[in-house]
Amino acid sequence: MNTAQNLNYKPLTYYLDKLKEHNLDYEILGGSSNLDQVPLAGIAYDSRKVAPGFAFFGLTGQHVDGNSFIENAIKSGATSIVSETKLKLNNNVPLIVVKNTRLALALFSSIFYEMPDQKLNLIGITGTNGKTTTTHLLEKLVDDLGIIGTLGARWPNSSNYEFLNFTTPNPPELNLILKRQLDDGVKNVAMEVSSHALSLDRVSFLDFNIACLTNITQDHLDFHKTMENYVNSKFKLFENLLASKKPDKFAILNKDASYGQDFEERLNNLNAGRFDVNVLTYGFSDKASLYVKNYTSSFDSSNLEIGGLLGNLTLTVPVIGLFNIYNVLAAMLVAHACKIEISTILARLKDFQGVAGRFEKVSSSSQQPLCIVDYAHTPDGLANVLTAARGLTPANGKLIVVFGCGGDRDSSKRPQMGSIAEKLADIIIITSDNPRSEDPEQIIADILTGIKKLKNVQVESDRQEAIKLAINLAKAKDVVLIAGKGHENYQIIGDKTIHFDDREIARANLKLKV
């Protein structure tokens, strides 16, 4: 990733003063007393990326303790160390001991990259599902907008994504991207904000103008442990919005979603007497700020009648599925908060081309079964796309689903997804997803516990063979949904990552079928 230009390096004492300003206590152990004479040349939490003059942060993760690499960082030229642990360093490098290394990392990163969020209209989109589609809708609706999320980071007038290690990057990478986008003329940024990022303080010290909740359903309980923790992590984005120094702030909530009304009440209680956050809602109830009165869907579009804040509207959007209609409503309200005229919003929605791996149709002939690839990897996500796929399945056709579940992730959702598939699909093919360090057969066994009748269920742990099997079983009138990986072009098996793209495999087998 390219580096930002024209940065004004500041001495370590400047950063320490900012820690004090934010009431982040610290203690300096060892090192030289001339902390104001050497500018901080960079920030790293990976010792392999340390260069002379860098500050190194010893982050404690789920699997790796960054403090174990402090000596390596010093050998590479680190001139200061930040950690939560009081360590004895055999050198003249100062150790800055803090209560929360991740918060300190977020603050240092914001300062180092000159607080780019302050000069941007920063939009945060959080939720279990819908974040990626909503940000890409906004890319179409809002001028001079960059996006950051699951597919990567992208600038206006660019069709290519820059790869990101996480949906929401760690603070150094995140602030660098924001700085580069700002330098390249970007005025608005729509960012997917994951629950991990909120829990791990990746977006701390960023001031948002707009925060949007798409929905909350079960996911990531391997990390959060409980739904309460997961929900509270999502609400942190709105606490951040309340604390933001930006004027004219907006919170946009899915009123129909689980926890949507809870978030609205919590926000209104916190906002009482302040009135510095405008709370807008969307859904199918006329109690929402923007609501759907009626809708119909065809093969590749939806006709909507909308009422509420933006007036009485009739529009056709090139998306299908109830879940996508919610995404459209969210994007419309965010665009409105960005002061985009409703006539412009309506005109641009007509040209939306969809998102890679999100209900993406890969068939090319009416002689082939309709084949759809989607990223759905949660119970709610699978239910949504199966329901939408059912709407495309002729009365005399069958809905065939191919899916698995990821390894080293929340195992409690596996039987739930099996049960959902049994209720909504005609033929189920259970396969491997990204098994990681788990036994694929055990993951499949977990899914099967949620299925009561195995008559129309087949198991094929080789994902390539499973896709081939589904397409071979399908007739031209049938629909094949391949769920779980979507845009991903890799599969993680054990400690190896191999090239694998559901869309490529599907297209290859569809050609053989013609």
Side-chain angles (χ1 to χ4, degrees):
M1 184 175 287
N2 297 331
T3 56
Q5 299 177 353
N6 305 318
L7 289 173
N8 181 22
Y9 295 162
K10 298 176 178 63
L12 183 59
T13 48
Y14 184 89
Y15 293 83
L16 298 179
D17 288 343
K18 291 298 180 182
L19 286 175
K20 285 182 181 177
E21 282 183 26
H22 289 279
N23 298 313
L24 298 177
D25 295 334
Y26 67 89
E27 180 182 359
I28 301 176
L29 301 179
S32 139
S33 59
N34 300 320
L35 301 181
D36 59 344
Q37 296 182 8
V38 181
L40 195 67
I43 295 168
Y45 54 89
D46 182 338
S47 63
R48 295 166 297 185
K49 296 182 179 179
V50 171
F54 273 45
F56 176 73
F57 288 72
L59 299 182
T60 302
Q62 286 182 287
H63 306 293
V64 178
D65 183 357
N67 292 300
S68 304
F69 302 94
I70 286 175
E71 291 300 330
N72 292 346
I74 292 172
K75 288 177 183 177
S76 295
T79 51
S80 56
I81 304 296
V82 183
S83 174
E84 295 171 15
T85 307
K86 293 184 179 182
L87 303 164
K88 290 185 178 180
L89 304 180
N90 298 320
N91 48 63
N92 202 34
V93 175
L95 172 68
I96 302 159
V97 181
V98 295
K99 290 182 179 179
N100 187 326
T101 315
R102 292 183 182 276
L103 265 181
L105 177 64
L107 180 59
F108 273 52
S109 300
S110 174
I111 296 167
F112 185 80
Y113 289 107
E114 300 174 343
M115 297 180 287
D117 59 297
Q118 297 300 314
K119 299 176 184 176
L120 292 165
N121 180 45
L122 192 58
I123 305 159
I125 312 290
T126 196
T128 306
N129 299 305
K131 298 186 296 296
T132 301
T133 299
T134 302
T135 56
H136 282 73
L137 280 160
L138 289 170
E139 186 181 36
K140 190 71 179 176
L141 300 181
V142 180
D143 295 322
D144 302 316
L145 183 134
I147 56 175
I148 298 171
T150 306
L151 300 187
R154 187 159 72 177
W155 276 246
N157 304 316
S158 171
S159 60
N160 297 321
Y161 295 94
E162 288 199 3
F163 174 76
L164 303 174
N165 285 324
F166 302 107
T167 293
T168 314
N170 274 313
E173 292 85 1
L174 180 54
N175 279 274
L176 169 57
I177 293 166
L178 292 174
K179 171 65 173 169
R180 290 178 56 209
Q181 289 179 330
L182 178 65
D183 290 346
D184 286 348
V186 169
K187 296 178 181 177
N188 309 283
V189 174
M191 179 197 310
E192 295 181 48
V193 186
S194 69
S195 60
H196 286 74
L198 289 158
S199 295
L200 298 173
D201 292 309
R202 292 179 193 162
V203 295
S204 293
F205 301 106
L206 295 182
D207 280 358
F208 287 86
N209 300 74
I210 301 169
C212 176
L213 174 72
T214 59
N215 50 66
I216 301 180
T217 59
Q218 182 178 328
D219 200 14
H220 303 307
L221 296 193
D222 54 303
F223 178 82
H224 296 287
K225 306 306 179 187
T226 68
M227 277 299 294
E228 182 181 10
N229 291 341
Y230 181 47
V231 171
N232 287 336
S233 73
K234 295 291 188 186
F235 193 71
K236 284 183 70 174
L237 177 62
F238 297 90
E239 292 174 330
N240 179 305
L241 183 72
L242 285 164
S244 169
K245 296 181 286 293
K246 299 283 187 69
D248 201 24
K249 298 177 290 191
F250 287 84
I252 295 170
L253 307 170
N254 182 343
K255 197 176 185 71
D256 296 346
S258 297
Y259 306 101
Q261 293 191 45
D262 173 59
F263 271 40
E264 185 179 3
E265 290 172 6
R266 291 168 70 176
L267 257 174
N268 285 332
N269 288 336
L270 290 171
N271 200 32
R274 294 171 48 178
F275 305 109
D276 56 350
V277 174
N278 301 289
V279 181
L280 302 179
T281 61
Y282 61 95
F284 278 69
S285 163
D286 60 8
K287 293 180 180 178
S289 307
L290 188 70
Y291 61 94
V292 175
K293 296 178 180 179
N294 188 32
Y295 81 98
T296 58
S297 293
S298 63
F299 178 77
D300 55 6
S301 64
S302 298
N303 301 306
L304 308 179
E305 291 180 28
I306 292 176
L309 179 68
L310 304 182
N312 293 317
L313 309 171
T314 301
L315 63 151
T316 299
V317 289
V319 300
I320 61 172
L322 192 60
F323 63 100
N324 267 326
I325 291 173
Y326 279 110
N327 295 333
V328 168
L329 294 175
M332 289 177 72
L333 275 184
V334 173
H336 168 71
C338 293
K339 297 180 172 56
I340 306 298
E341 294 289 337
I342 185 58
S343 58
T344 302
I345 293 172
L346 296 180
R348 291 178 177 179
L349 276 175
K350 293 179 182 178
D351 298 325
F352 181 61
Q353 298 298 312
V355 185
R358 268 54 176 186
F359 216 74
E360 181 177 354
K361 301 179 181 104
V362 296
S363 306
S364 58
S365 167
S366 60
Q367 297 176 313
Q368 300 172 333
L370 173 60
C371 190
I372 300 166
V373 172
D374 193 87
Y375 189 52
H377 58 280
T378 67
D380 183 63
L382 185 62
N384 285 336
V385 296
L386 277 171
T387 301
R390 174 59 72 189
L392 300 178
T393 307
N396 61 345
K398 286 184 170 58
L399 175 56
I400 303 170
V401 63
V402 180
F403 79 99
C405 289
D408 302 332
R409 298 293 185 267
D410 177 13
S411 61
S412 68
K413 67 184 181 182
R414 296 170 187 171
Q416 294 179 49
M417 293 175 70
S419 177
I420 287 166
E422 182 179 24
K423 291 174 184 175
L424 299 176
D426 298 306
I427 298 174
I428 303 169
I429 300 174
I430 302 175
T431 188
S432 185
D433 191 295
N434 290 322
R436 300 183 177 87
S437 69
E438 283 196 70
D439 178 0
E441 301 295 341
Q442 181 57 56
I443 298 173
I444 290 171
D446 291 343
I447 296 170
L448 287 170
T449 62
I451 300 175
K452 295 177 181 178
K453 297 179 181 179
L454 301 177
K455 180 181 177 182
N456 295 313
V457 178
Q458 297 196 46
V459 171
E460 175 51 74
S461 59
D462 185 313
R463 193 174 180 91
Q464 181 168 337
E465 290 300 315
I467 294 170
K468 179 180 178 181
L469 173 61
I471 291 173
N472 284 341
L473 285 174
K475 296 179 173 56
K477 60 189 177 183
D478 296 336
V479 175
V480 176
L481 172 67
I482 305 168
K485 293 178 60 60
H487 66 282
E488 292 179 352
N489 60 2
Y490 60 86
Q491 190 175 26
I492 306 171
I493 303 172
D495 59 356
K496 295 181 179 178
T497 300
I498 63 171
H499 178 79
F500 194 99
D501 190 318
D502 284 351
R503 296 162 297 180
E504 291 176 6
I505 304 300
R507 289 188 184 107
N509 283 282
L510 285 165
K511 286 180 182 177
L512 294 174
K513 193 173 179 67
V514 173

